[in-house]
């Protein structure tokens, strides 16, 4: 067995979708040699499986081709709030710090809560969780003297506490206070008497005033260093913060309690309220508001989770917009990442010679390489073909840099075999700083609900095989369809989910036919509305995959490079906590579209029924396929011919995740059930949202509902839908040099859909 190559060069682009005249910037990190090369290629087929046509790319001559000096660029994960230094924060002789805190890993080591602390000079002050998991107040004079006063009572994970500390500069008295604040709904435990005993520590210190350190005030960490003008934060906190306050006087405990709900008084320096900015008028931006007269507003860094249940959540209201005062918490994680913030290495202006398609920067350093994919679309408001391929980039983002194989304990049982990992999987397992996918959990066990494309996405690459699917998946799987369209001689444009979200139906209205990718799973309201409007106004949709239109997502209101999903009620890798089902970016209910009355069957005629990752199967024609109204779809296919008993994904066209016809969930009653798969193994199980209770015989060998259905139906004004109901379908298109029944059926439908005459 050959030695696995290491990952020595990686990169990403600032933009994902660009048009003629746009400039796209690329960021690269390389540690293998003095130089690396960069070239632009057009991607056609990304699957290296020797049973298929092999990897295909076309070199494109551009201004960026050439050699570049290597350099390593670091990523600093971990979310926090930063408040820039100001005169109000300088020379404070007496002070009080307080907050409601909900630690999730109090035992992990030193964590900053509310700090104006410089680790390089040991100057300043701050409220911390110390190495023993206890609340601790630090004061440093900058001359080597530090006082650390601990509560000496370890905090309990996932319970709310009122914590505070005060320093009286005149007397040197320090007080540290922590008290559990537990009701029936807001914490892990119901309040029992011994859990509600407060801890109060009083002590006198030689340090009468914290040194002025000219550093920012930081929540959920502390200043570790400043590197090339960039603030580097250490001691990242895992957990929630709510109602942080800062005063320039040593307050009593009773005075601190009053500040929680009524922040006022001459000594108040800052009263940050995280509930401000999460209303219907102003949704969860990155700004943090101070309600004191000083207006010491802050900024969130690396996307901590907003609109989370606070210390006072009663469970009577589950939508934060209706009760923002109960959702004044932010959940911070030491592995959050929004933007890698690398420096730009080179940029490319898209020329008129680069027609719409999928491109990439090909990076090479020695025997290592990386690809940075991007999409060239037509100029806004135009189309250059009658066919559009709609790239499911939101789904790529949801799976970006996932750690399913290295994190999930039962993955081998789920896929019924041993996963085969790629070098990218091993690299991501070691380099957690590259961020997580929405299929991962954070270090504190909470689910990852945000994902970003502003970082290297090592599994969104050609040549990459997914260890769960045992073949290509998502981005690389969609190149099967791009290759087929190219080989069959079709002219087509490429557009993206992000384009559809931002521009709506006007983006796809010029196209006679829109083809989805193999797995368009994650959809925003704007995207779903656009597809529905397109269908109802004469558009023709070819749904070329499975498990589509499934999860509700939202794009960040300030930056479409970020998406959000709250997972509950479906087949999922984690579950959102009670009261946290609504999307902080928009306020709308998250979860499955079917739980909002918009099941995939209403859009595509089929919806997810089962998943399995061992082998794929085939389809058999159903009676509707012999109807004169649909017989044209099967021209050149015999009546008893098995459809797709071959392919690059599991050896068949029906596999991985499969969809079923279901009129109860919205399949039109006039839809034609053309073909259904059969012969699935017991590794294919009916999805949990279909079950009312656990029962035996849910596997493919015994459950007749475990199947992929092929469906066709017409819509008003000449519109139509053709759906294959399987992620594996496109992996069979190239079999036998594209001369096979999967290719033939797809070609029959696309040719007919392109005609202007009625279907």
């Amino acid at each position: 067995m050959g030695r696995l190559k290491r990952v020595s060069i990686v990169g990403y682009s600032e933009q994902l979708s660009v048009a003629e005249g746009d400039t796209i910037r690329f960021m690269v990190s390389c540690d293998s040699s003095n130089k690396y090369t960069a070239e632009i290629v057009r991607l056609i087929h990304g699957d290296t499986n020797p049973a298929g046509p092999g990897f295909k790319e076309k070199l494109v001559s551009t201004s960026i081709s050439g050699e570049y000096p290597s350099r390593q660029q670091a990523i600093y994960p971990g979310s926090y709030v930063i408040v820039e230094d100001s005169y109000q924060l300088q020379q404070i002789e007496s002070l009080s710090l307080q907050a409601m805190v909900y630690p999730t890993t109090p035992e992990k080591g030193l964590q900053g809560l509310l700090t104006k602390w410089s680790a390089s000079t040991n100057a300043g002050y701050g409220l911390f969780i110390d190495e023993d998991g206890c609340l601790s107040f630090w004061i440093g004079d900058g001359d080597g003297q530090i006082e650390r006063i601990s509560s000496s009572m370890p905090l309990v994970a996932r319970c709310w506490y009122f914590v505070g500390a005060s320093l009286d500069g005149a007397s040197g008295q320090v007080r540290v206070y922590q008290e559990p604040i537990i009701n029936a709904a807001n914490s892990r435990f119901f309040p029992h008497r011994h859990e509600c005993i407060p801890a109060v520590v009083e002590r006198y210190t030689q340090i009468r005033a914290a040194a002025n350190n000219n550093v920012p005030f930081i929540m959920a960490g502390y200043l570790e260093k400043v590197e090339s003008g960039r603030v580097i934060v250490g001691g990242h906190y895992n957990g929630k913060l709510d109602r942080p306050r800062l005063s320039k006087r040593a307050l009593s405990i009773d005075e601190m309690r009053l500040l929680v709900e009524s922040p006022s008084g001459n000594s108040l320096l800052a009263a940050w309220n995280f509930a401000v900015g999460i209303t219907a008028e102003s949704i969860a931006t990155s700004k943090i508001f101070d309600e004191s007269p000083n207006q010491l507003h802050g900024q969130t860094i690396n996307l901590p989770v907003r609109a989370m249940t606070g210390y006072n959540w009663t469970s009577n209201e589950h939508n934060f917009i209706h009760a923002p005062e109960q959702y004044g918490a932010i959940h911070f994680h030491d592995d959050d990442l929004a933007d890698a913030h690398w420096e730009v290495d080179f940029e490319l202006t898209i020329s008129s010679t680069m027609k719409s398609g999928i491109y990439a920067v090909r990076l090479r350093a020695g025997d290592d390489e990386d690809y940075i994919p991007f999409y060239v679309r037509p100029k806004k408001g135009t189309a250059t073909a009658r066919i559009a391929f709609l790239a499911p980039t939101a789904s790529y983002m949801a799976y970006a840099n996932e750690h399913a194989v290295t994190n999930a304990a039962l993955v081998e049982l789920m896929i019924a075999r041993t996963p085969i990992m790629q070098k990218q999987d091993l690299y991501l397992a070691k380099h957690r700083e590259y961020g997580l996918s929405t299929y991962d959990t954070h270090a504190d066990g909470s689910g990852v609900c945000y994902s970003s494309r502003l970082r290297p996405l090592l599994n969104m690459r050609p040549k990459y095989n997914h260890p769960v699917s045992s073949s290509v998946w998502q981005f690389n799987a969609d190149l099967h369809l791009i290759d087929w369209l190219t080989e069959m001689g079709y002219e087509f444009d490429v557009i993206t989910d992000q384009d559809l979200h931002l521009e709506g139906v006007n983006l796809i209205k010029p196209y006679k036919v829109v083809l989805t990718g193999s797995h368009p799973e994650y959809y925003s309201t704007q995207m779903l509305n656009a597809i529905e409007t397109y269908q109802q106004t004469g558009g023709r949709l070819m749904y070329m995959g499975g498990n589509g239109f499934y999860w509700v997502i939202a794009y960040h209101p300030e930056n479409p490079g970020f998406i959000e999903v709250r997972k509950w009620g479906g087949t999922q890798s984690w579950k959102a906590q009670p009261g946290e089902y609504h999307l902080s970016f928009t306020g709308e209910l998250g979860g499955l579209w079917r739980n909002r009355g918009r099941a995939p069957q209403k859009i595509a005629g089929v919806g997810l029924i089962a998943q399995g990752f061992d082998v794929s199967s085939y389809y058999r024609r159903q009676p509707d396929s012999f109807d004169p109204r649909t017989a044209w779809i099967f021209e050149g296919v015999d009546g008893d011919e098995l459809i797709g008993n071959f392919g690059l994904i599991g050896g068949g066209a029906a596999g991985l995740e499969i969809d079923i016809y279901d009129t109860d969930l919205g399949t039109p009653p006039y839809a034609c059930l053309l073909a259904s798969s059969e012969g699935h193994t017991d590794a294919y199980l009916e999805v949990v949202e279909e079950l009312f209770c656990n029962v035996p015989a849910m596997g493919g060998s015994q459950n007749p509902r475990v199947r992929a259905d092929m469906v066709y139906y017409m819509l008003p004004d000449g519109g139509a839908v053709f759906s294959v109901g399987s992620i594996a379908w496109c992996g069979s298109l190239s079999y036998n040099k594209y001369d096979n029944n999967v290719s033939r059926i797809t070609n029959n439908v696309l040719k007919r859909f392109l005609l202007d005459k009625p279907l």
Side-chain angles (χ1 to χ4, degrees):
M1 185 176 180
R3 185 178 179 183
L4 193 67
K5 291 182 180 179
R6 73 187 188 98
V7 174
S8 61
I9 184 166
V10 293
Y12 68 100
S13 64
E14 190 174 63
Q15 302 84 3
L16 185 64
S17 175
V18 287
E20 180 186 341
D22 292 341
T23 297
I24 181 170
R25 288 177 286 214
F26 299 94
M27 286 64 71
V28 178
S29 179
C30 180
D31 66 1
S32 70
S33 63
N34 293 327
K35 294 180 180 179
Y36 67 87
T37 62
E39 297 171 299
I40 298 294
V41 295
R42 181 167 181 158
L43 296 175
I44 299 170
H45 193 265
D47 192 346
T48 58
N49 189 331
F55 181 70
K56 298 180 186 179
E57 64 182 1
K58 287 187 177 179
L59 188 64
V60 179
S61 177
T62 70
S63 61
I64 68 123
S65 295
E67 291 186 332
Y68 296 85
S70 296
R71 60 170 172 173
Q72 288 184 262
Q73 302 207 59
I75 297 178
Y76 298 98
S79 57
Y80 56 95
V81 168
I82 186 168
V83 179
E84 295 301 328
D85 194 23
S86 65
Y87 74 90
Q88 293 99 332
L89 298 172
Q90 303 286 352
Q91 302 295 346
I92 303 173
E93 294 185 0
S94 297
L95 64 90
S96 296
L97 287 168
Q98 65 181 86
M100 299 295 184
V101 303
Y102 178 93
T104 50
T105 58
E107 74 290 342
K108 84 157 192 165
L110 183 63
Q111 301 170 68
L113 295 173
L114 307 175
T115 69
K116 196 172 189 297
W117 181 265
S118 171
S120 60
T121 62
N122 288 328
Y125 59 87
L127 202 56
F128 296 81
I129 297 175
D130 65 20
E131 290 84 350
D132 297 320
C134 302
L135 183 70
S136 185
F137 179 56
W138 290 17
I139 317 163
D141 64 3
D143 293 324
Q145 189 174 2
I146 306 172
E147 287 276 3
R148 300 181 178 92
I149 299 94
S150 171
S151 70
S152 300
M153 181 177 286
L155 296 158
V156 177
R158 290 177 292 154
C159 287
W160 277 104
Y161 290 86
F162 173 38
V163 301
S166 63
L167 166 65
D168 187 327
S171 66
Q173 184 185 46
V174 174
R175 180 182 286 112
V176 175
Y177 183 80
Q178 73 181 51
E179 177 187 6
I181 304 295
I182 303 173
N183 64 38
N186 74 346
S187 288
R188 179 161 53 128
F189 301 112
F190 186 77
H192 297 289
R193 193 170 190 178
H194 70 279
E195 292 167 345
C196 293
I197 299 173
V200 182
V201 174
E202 294 186 4
R203 207 168 96 189
Y204 287 86
T205 174
Q206 297 292 320
I207 303 176
R208 298 302 176 92
N212 179 21
N213 55 20
N214 299 310
V215 303
F217 189 92
I218 291 173
M219 306 179 207
Y222 61 83
L223 181 71
E224 187 173 279
K225 60 183 176 179
V226 176
E227 191 174 85
S228 301
R230 182 177 178 181
V231 170
I232 309 300
V233 170
H236 290 285
Y237 166 64
N238 284 328
K240 297 180 183 180
L241 287 177
D242 195 353
R243 304 296 201 279
R245 308 283 190 251
L246 172 63
S247 301
K248 58 181 178 180
R249 183 169 64 82
L251 303 179
S252 68
I253 299 303
D254 288 338
E255 288 175 313
M256 287 185 183
R257 286 196 181 102
L258 287 174
L259 284 185
V260 173
E261 299 299 337
S262 302
S264 61
N266 294 332
S267 65
L268 184 65
L269 279 174
W272 294 284
N273 187 350
F274 301 158
V276 176
I278 60 168
T279 65
E281 293 77 27
S282 178
I283 293 291
T285 65
S286 58
K287 192 171 183 179
I288 297 300
F289 294 91
D290 169 24
E291 294 186 309
S292 81
N294 294 316
Q295 300 288 283
L296 299 178
H297 304 313
Q299 193 83 10
T300 63
I301 304 298
N302 274 336
L303 278 179
V305 187
R306 303 215 45 192
M308 302 295 274
T309 55
Y311 76 98
N312 56 347
W313 185 64
T314 65
S315 84
N316 293 328
E317 179 55 62
H318 288 250
N319 188 337
F320 65 86
I321 287 178
H322 300 155
E325 71 283 354
Q326 294 184 36
Y327 285 83
I330 294 180
H331 195 149
F332 299 88
H333 304 93
D334 59 10
D335 49 14
D336 283 329
L337 180 65
D339 189 336
H341 284 296
W342 285 356
E343 294 180 5
V344 176
D345 285 71
F346 50 85
E347 58 185 40
L348 172 72
T349 299
I350 305 303
S351 70
S352 59
T353 60
M354 294 180 69
K355 70 175 186 177
S356 183
I358 303 177
Y359 292 81
V361 173
R362 185 179 67 196
L363 304 170
R364 286 178 172 168
D367 61 352
D368 194 14
E369 70 177 7
D370 189 30
Y371 287 81
I372 308 174
F374 63 97
Y375 297 84
V376 174
R377 54 163 291 183
K379 283 188 173 181
K380 187 175 180 180
T382 68
T384 64
R386 289 165 60 84
I387 300 170
F389 169 69
L390 179 57
T393 53
S395 296
Y396 303 161
M397 289 172 66
Y399 284 89
N401 290 353
E402 68 170 299
H403 299 76
V405 169
T406 52
N407 282 19
L410 300 178
V411 67
E412 291 192 33
L413 183 61
M414 183 180 76
I415 67 176
R417 56 179 173 77
T418 300
I420 300 173
M421 290 189 286
Q422 309 294 297
K423 65 176 184 177
Q424 292 93 333
D425 305 312
L426 298 174
Y427 187 81
L428 289 171
K430 182 178 180 181
H431 293 273
R432 311 292 290 191
E433 71 271 17
Y434 278 73
L436 306 172
S437 77
T438 65
Y439 285 78
D440 295 322
T441 53
H442 289 288
D444 68 356
S446 59
V448 179
C449 63
Y450 298 153
S451 184
S452 165
R453 59 170 174 76
L454 299 177
R455 53 182 170 137
L457 306 182
L458 301 188
N459 58 355
M460 185 184 163
R461 296 293 191 258
K463 303 184 181 180
Y464 174 76
N465 281 351
H466 193 276
V468 170
S469 73
S470 76
S471 55
V472 295
W473 178 262
Q474 288 283 332
F475 171 79
N476 207 10
D478 288 342
L479 289 174
H480 285 152
L481 180 56
I482 296 299
D483 173 61
W484 181 84
L485 288 168
T486 304
E487 289 292 332
M488 301 302 286
Y490 286 107
E491 293 292 324
F492 61 95
D493 286 342
V494 173
I495 52 180
T496 72
D497 279 355
Q498 179 179 305
D499 301 323
L500 186 64
H501 173 84
L502 295 174
E503 299 176 33
V505 71
N506 288 335
L507 175 72
I508 53 178
K509 200 172 183 179
Y511 297 102
K512 192 69 176 178
V513 186
V514 171
L515 293 91
T516 75
S518 61
H519 196 182
E521 183 178 1
Y522 291 80
Y523 255 64
S524 71
T525 297
Q526 292 86 338
M527 291 157 57
L528 205 63
N529 289 344
I531 292 291
E532 289 177 339
T533 303
Y534 174 74
Q535 290 177 311
Q536 295 301 317
T537 53
R540 295 172 180 177
L541 179 72
M542 293 181 68
Y543 172 53
M544 298 298 295
N547 190 20
F549 317 108
Y550 188 74
W551 289 111
V552 179
I553 64 120
Y555 284 86
H556 194 280
E558 297 173 326
N559 191 329
F562 313 135
I563 63 166
E564 178 182 14
V565 61
R566 299 292 178 105
K567 296 197 173 183
W568 65 276
T571 297
Q572 61 222 2
S573 54
W574 56 269
K575 293 182 180 180
Q577 293 300 300
E580 297 174 353
Y581 289 179
H582 288 75
L583 303 176
S584 66
F585 291 174
T586 61
E588 62 188 310
L589 182 64
L592 300 188
W593 275 114
R594 67 180 282 175
N595 292 337
R596 287 178 53 177
R598 302 179 74 174
Q601 282 86 348
K602 291 184 175 181
I603 305 296
V606 293
L608 180 66
I609 187 64
Q611 61 180 22
F613 301 97
D614 55 350
V615 294
S616 300
S617 191
Y618 55 86
Y619 295 77
R620 192 181 296 276
R621 291 178 64 172
Q622 298 297 313
D624 284 355
S625 72
F626 299 98
D627 190 292
R629 295 171 297 172
T630 60
W632 56 271
I633 296 173
F634 294 89
E635 185 177 340
V637 179
D638 292 339
D640 58 354
E641 193 174 331
L642 298 182
I643 298 167
N645 55 339
F646 48 81
L648 299 177
I649 299 180
L656 297 185
E657 294 176 346
I658 53 179
D659 297 354
I660 196 172
Y661 170 114
D662 191 335
T663 55
D664 287 341
L665 288 174
T667 303
Y670 50 84
C672 300
L673 177 58
L674 303 175
S676 297
S677 68
E678 61 187 31
H680 293 285
T681 71
D682 286 333
Y684 283 78
L685 296 169
E686 193 167 353
V687 290
V688 295
E689 60 267 26
E690 292 285 331
L691 306 177
F692 294 97
C693 61
N694 287 326
V695 294
M698 288 292 103
S701 69
Q702 297 173 289
N703 184 354
R705 285 178 59 80
V706 175
R707 67 177 194 270
D709 286 337
M710 185 189 302
V711 167
Y712 165 76
Y713 57 95
M714 291 183 288
L715 290 166
D717 299 321
V721 172
F722 172 76
S723 298
V724 300
S726 165
I727 287 178
W729 178 269
C730 291
S732 300
L733 289 169
S734 64
Y735 177 76
N736 193 34
K737 298 181 179 179
Y738 309 90
D739 183 12
N740 61 76
N741 51 30
V742 170
S743 175
R744 197 165 301 121
I745 290 168
T746 305
N747 195 40
N748 289 342
V749 173
L750 183 52
K751 284 195 303 183
R752 181 65 69 96
F753 274 22
L754 283 170
L755 298 177
D756 291 322
K757 67 180 183 180
L759 294 168

